[in-house]
Amino acid sequence: MADGGRSYVEHDDRYGGGFSMKKRKGRGPFMGKMYSEGPHKYRNKGGYGPNPRSRLEDDDGDVAMGDAHESSRHRFVPYGRGGKRRDEKPGRDKKNFGGSHREPQQQGRAEYSEDRKSWFKVTIPHGKKYEKSWLLGILQGASSVPFNPVHYHTDHNRAHFFVEDSAAAKALKQLSRTFTDRENFKITILTRPCPPPQNFTKEIKDEELEHFKNCMQKRYDGAHQALDMKAVRSDPDLVANKVDLILNRKCYMTTMLQIIEDNVPELLSLDISNNKLYKLDDLEEITLKAPNLKILNLSQNLLKSDRELDKVKGLKLEELWLDGNPLCDTFRDQTNYISAVRERFPKLLRLDGHELPPPITFDVETPTTLPPCKGSYLASDDIKALVLRFLQQYYACYDSEDRQGLLNVYHDEACCSLSIPSNPGQNPSRSSLGEYFKDSRNIRRLRDPTLRFKLLKHKRLNVVGFLNELPRTQHDLNSFVVDITAHSNTLLCFVVNGIFKEVEGQSSNPVRAFSRVFIAVPGSDGGLLLVNDEQFIRNATTEEIRKAFATPAPTPSSSPVPVLAPVPHDMVQAFIQVSGMNAEWSQKCLEDNGWDFDQAGQIFMKLNAEGKIPDVAFMK
């Protein structure tokens, strides 16, 4: 049977009967009915057969080989030229249709509608690159409806699983592209109704399991730690006990691997040839169940692509058998064949019984895990104190209502630029970072040198004016990672990575991540003056959002005076430049306002406008 319990015979009828007699423009001469006398009689004498899918499997999920088939190196033809199936069995029509007067097409639809009442297939494009536990953990944590993922598997680059709940499927679909992976790519989730997963419609009974174990025990060679499961379906003992063990079904393959893990995890050789295996998804866990396996025989199966070998390439095989599979005929010559196989198994010594040249390898194992991320690098204690003090003051002003106070931080000839990620095929102006798009100077996207120069903000007033137009923000100081990249007596370059959220705008407090490069020179008051400011803004990942603002950072009002002693002096010098008052009156104004720079500035402007500040305050 095919997916959903529909016979491919029924599929053929739907394919043939679904064409209209009405001739359409540009459709060619084949618009008439393909069948003239029932579902298995072709009108064309040329022998155009049914849909190609119908050639692949019979009712048991096995590929119909035909009695005369011996070598899989030649393409088999399961249908005769006369339109009658070779493998058609007596009474098959009665079994499939049960005496119903409905057309096969209608019956197939009825069966499918019954099966799909509650089962949904969930697909994550490019999901193969994610760890199963991470991906399912993210989905289960974010879904508003609890669900149990059934039969998680990968196919090409996609990841799939099934859920037996329409509400859960709907909740998962609503999560599509609402969160990102570790590389900041949005994760897409597709759902569709489907029949019950085929691999779970069949359960192994206890009696069958016992016969299965006895069969494996009989076929195991303890002296060589080898297990021979060749053509296991035709094993005499299994046939005598009416156990139909089809190894290309997940339930049986998974059971075999579990028995291996429980009883012979030290297995060195496994022969599963001549079992009509057309994919190796269900064999993927063998790298965990039998990690010491050195010999694997997959010959005389139905593997069509060498990509299937990727699913077991974690094995350190020394001998592999693949002859008799269709994939062997896809290579131009033997050299390409050996190269493709050895790409997956670099230590292979024998292929299809033939000795291979010794592999050229280095016995240095590539580390599988990256070293843990380190914290900030601040060179020395003096530089650390200087930079942290600067950042605390800078972002206190940057996150305020008015960023004009930053005028004292930038050099007269300072430069500033901002950029956002450039995703090919996506209109950046319509992304969630669209409000930054018009000012983005991403040189990967911009080719016009005139526009590049225009988007570079030059001179102190232009820089601060540009920063003042950006959305209001609140930075999470606890998320900052600071690295000193270069330092000398006359120059300091450092990079700041962290998280912030926007506190106004169209979105509701979106969380962003940023990376900012500052280049500074010494200022006249012993502080820093920025000569270059380059900022990169992107959407925060799901993990970054989860950790953001977990610990509240101190605000200027709750911590008016930083712990470091030089901070008030620097603030006084900055206030002198802004207000024009002398040091004594500037310090008094700051002290009266709890060392809140912005509040002191507002009070100063109000009193100065009212003429209430004496002239002595401006005498230096």
Side-chain angles (χ1 to χ4, degrees), residues 293-295 316-320 347-351:
L293 197 70
K294 301 297 182 185
I295 303 172
K316 298 178 181 180
L317 294 180
E318 296 178 357
E319 183 173 346
L320 177 65
K347 295 186 178 181
L348 199 68
L349 301 177
R350 287 176 295 279
L351 177 61

Side-chain angles (χ1 to χ4, degrees), residues 153-166:
H153 62 286
T154 58
D155 175 20
H156 298 293
N157 290 326
R158 302 180 294 270
H160 310 274
F161 62 87
F162 298 87
V163 293
E164 194 179 7
D165 185 356
S166 59

Side-chain angles (χ1 to χ4, degrees), residues 588-603:
K588 184 178 185 303
C589 186
L590 288 169
E591 289 176 346
D592 292 342
N593 289 279
W595 292 98
D596 188 325
F597 191 96
D598 297 323
Q599 182 177 336
Q602 294 173 4
I603 296 297

Side-chain angles (χ1 to χ4, degrees), residues 3-21:
D3 292 342
R6 291 171 291 173
S7 168
Y8 283 118
V9 177
E10 300 166 4
H11 181 77
D12 296 343
D13 290 338
R14 292 188 290 104
Y15 189 88
F19 284 96
S20 170
M21 289 295 292

Side-chain angles (χ1 to χ4, degrees), residues 91-121:
R92 181 167 188 147
D93 290 342
K94 182 177 180 181
K95 175 183 177 183
N96 284 340
F97 306 118
S100 172
H101 295 290
R102 291 184 298 179
E103 290 296 324
Q105 176 186 2
Q106 296 173 343
Q107 180 173 0
R109 290 176 177 172
E111 291 174 356
Y112 182 75
S113 64
E114 292 174 4
D115 288 338
R116 70 177 185 177
K117 287 179 180 178
S118 58
W119 282 100
F120 287 78
K121 185 175 184 179

Side-chain angles (χ1 to χ4, degrees), residues 188-241:
T188 302
I189 303 171
L190 308 175
T191 62
R192 64 177 178 85
C194 69
Q198 183 181 6
N199 294 322
F200 282 79
T201 57
K202 167 76 175 176
E203 293 184 0
I204 299 179
K205 300 178 181 178
D206 293 340
E207 185 179 353
E208 285 183 327
L209 181 60
E210 195 61 34
H211 290 304
F212 196 175
K213 290 181 178 179
N214 292 336
C215 174
M216 292 179 65
Q217 184 177 4
K218 177 188 68 175
R219 288 167 170 254
Y220 179 67
D221 181 0
H224 298 91
Q225 295 180 323
L227 179 61
D228 180 9
M229 297 297 285
K230 177 181 179 181
V232 67
R233 187 179 185 184
S234 59
D235 183 87
D237 292 342
L238 294 178
V239 173
N241 289 286

